[in-house]
Amino acid sequence: MPVSVSAPGKIYLCGEHFVVYGAPALLSAIDKRVTVKIEDHKDKLLTYSLDNRFIRHIINVVKNHFGLRSIRPFKITVASQIKKGYHLGSSAAVSVASIGALLYYLKRVWNPDLVNKLAFEVEKIKHHNASGADNSGITYGGLVWYRKELEFLKSIWQLSLKIPSNLNKFYLIDTGTPLESTAAMVKFVAKKYAENKRFFDRFMAINEIQTKKIALALKEGNANNLVNALKVCENTLEKIGVVSQKVIPIIREVEKKGGAAKILGGGGRSKGVGYLLCFIAGENLLPDLVKRYNFSLEAISLGEEGIRLESSK
Ligand code: MEV
């Protein structure tokens, strides 16, 4: 019986990079999804996707979990609305949706906690230091507070708050593909951390305070506090060197117009940073500015649903 499962992309409101070292991160699921369909196929296992090796790895993680030597032939199709390499969690969304679909197709199991656990196994092939925040934000959806306390102990809280409509005014600014992979950026930060732990800890502490302030601002519907906390959060990311010079001028201009813009996920050092996340109350203030930089702009909605069983017949 065919099974179709979808999972959202994610953004970090605050906490990327620092989350690898034990700071909290606040993530939100967005209104762009990956849908994975699995159906019987008579010949052999077939995968159609952007990256067949990645899909095969996901299938192996599921097979190993259940101790399955072989599985019946099936066809798996991946359809994605999430731009790859732009820090919206495209590959984590593929693994969450695929694992969800495989568990349901093979075992009739619907278990987001198990999906999240296995998706973390998959994340670790991308970079060995994966925090587990990306897959958690995508699996559970809404707003997720995530902190890796210890390697075997993770605090994952889905915040029971709905983003007030006056604050759900976020935009993505496309600044171009980053030259560096997320793995390379995580490695760069690890070197920086090893070289000067005191410097890093200082900004990590400031970043943690902003993560809390953002959660509070969203709860209270306070746009000014949200802007201020996002700005300081971005500044900590600039301090640790994950924000390319190419995007700093537009970030400063957004701030002058009363908004805030920040990098997402890994960021980038030498060219584009993928998407910038931007919050601004007057949306008509952005198009001309973005055009001047030859970037492009789209509105997104935060707080969307996590993994979802779309159909099972
Ligand atoms: C990547 O989307 C987010 C990072 O914080 C790495 C991680 O948490 O695994 C840069």
Side-chain angles (χ1 to χ4, degrees):
M1 208 195 284
V3 172
S4 179
V5 171
S6 75
K10 59 85 188 123
I11 55 94
Y12 279 81
L13 283 153
C14 195
E16 56 269 88
H17 283 295
F18 297 104
V19 70
V20 171
Y21 300 88
L26 182 59
L27 299 97
S28 173
I30 60 168
D31 55 344
K32 289 180 185 295
R33 301 186 80 83
V34 164
T35 305
V36 173
K37 185 176 177 193
I38 302 184
E39 57 203 311
D40 295 343
H41 196 278
K42 57 183 174 356
D43 299 328
K44 58 186 167 80
L45 185 140
L46 286 178
T47 67
Y48 296 114
S49 80
L50 305 169
D51 181 350
N52 280 1
R53 262 184 57 205
F54 185 56
I55 297 286
R56 283 182 194 282
H57 177 69
I58 294 169
I59 294 169
N60 282 336
V61 166
V62 172
K63 271 171 71 181
N64 289 345
H65 174 77
F66 289 112
L68 301 173
R69 289 243 189 92
S70 63
I71 42 182
R72 64 181 191 268
F74 61 80
K75 173 177 162 183
I76 177 164
T77 316
V78 180
S80 180
Q81 303 170 329
I82 307 172
K83 206 161 167 175
K84 225 178 151 193
Y86 271 62
H87 301 311
L88 296 184
S90 64
S91 61
V94 169
S95 61
V96 167
S98 303
I99 293 167
L102 283 162
L103 295 189
Y104 203 83
Y105 179 77
L106 296 170
K107 296 281 179 188
R108 280 288 175 271
V109 165
W110 185 252
N111 181 345
D113 292 340
L114 179 57
V115 171
N116 194 36
K117 182 171 168 261
L118 299 181
F120 181 50
E121 293 306 309
V122 175
E123 280 291 279
K124 286 195 275 194
I125 62 153
K126 281 194 300 174
H127 62 99
H128 69 278
N129 244 346
S131 67
D134 291 15
N135 48 284
S136 302
I138 286 167
T139 303
Y140 298 108
L143 286 167
V144 168
W145 178 272
Y146 181 91
R147 191 199 286 256
K148 186 175 76 175
E149 311 288 351
L150 296 165
E151 207 44 55
F152 61 91
L153 174 62
K154 282 143 191 155
S155 300
I156 309 173
W157 295 95
Q158 193 189 42
L159 301 194
S160 61
L161 67 90
K162 209 169 142 24
I163 301 175
S165 56
N166 68 315
L167 293 197
N168 213 338
K169 291 190 180 302
F170 286 86
Y171 299 87
L172 294 175
I173 300 176
D174 181 341
T175 70
T177 318
L179 202 64
E180 305 83 3
S181 64
T182 296
M185 293 302 291
V186 170
K187 205 165 157 199
F188 165 81
V189 173
K191 191 162 166 273
K192 195 125 192 161
Y193 179 71
E195 277 165 9
N196 196 342
K197 194 168 172 309
R198 269 184 58 196
F199 172 89
F200 190 88
D201 281 347
R202 201 166 105 222
F203 293 106
M204 181 149 102
I206 298 171
N207 188 276
E208 172 162 353
I209 293 167
Q210 308 321 307
T211 310
K212 289 177 185 161
K213 284 189 174 173
I214 292 169
L216 212 59
L218 291 175
K219 187 164 168 45
E220 293 170 349
N222 189 322
N224 281 342
N225 289 354
L226 179 63
V227 166
N228 288 336
L230 286 169
K231 270 160 55 178
V232 182
C233 169
E234 162 61 23
N235 182 262
T236 60
L237 292 160
E238 289 175 20
K239 286 285 189 299
I240 62 165
V242 294
V243 186
S244 149
Q245 287 300 326
K246 180 181 174 187
V247 302
I248 289 183
I250 191 169
I251 294 175
R252 293 293 92 82
E253 286 208 53
V254 170
E255 290 171 354
K256 272 198 204 127
K257 289 185 184 299
K262 66 175 283 291
I263 61 126
L264 293 169
R269 277 184 60 70
S270 42
K271 291 220 158 146
V273 295
Y275 286 119
L276 285 174
L277 177 73
C278 177
F279 173 80
I280 193 156
E283 59 259 48
N284 50 358
L285 296 172
L286 279 183
D288 285 346
L289 171 63
V290 168
K291 216 170 171 184
R292 203 158 20 88
Y293 282 87
N294 255 333
F295 296 157
S296 64
L297 180 71
E298 60 187 293
I300 49 159
S301 167
L302 305 194
E304 299 289 320
E305 199 180 345
I307 187 172
R308 185 162 73 208
L309 182 59
E310 298 288 351
S311 70
S312 56
K313 52 179 152 46

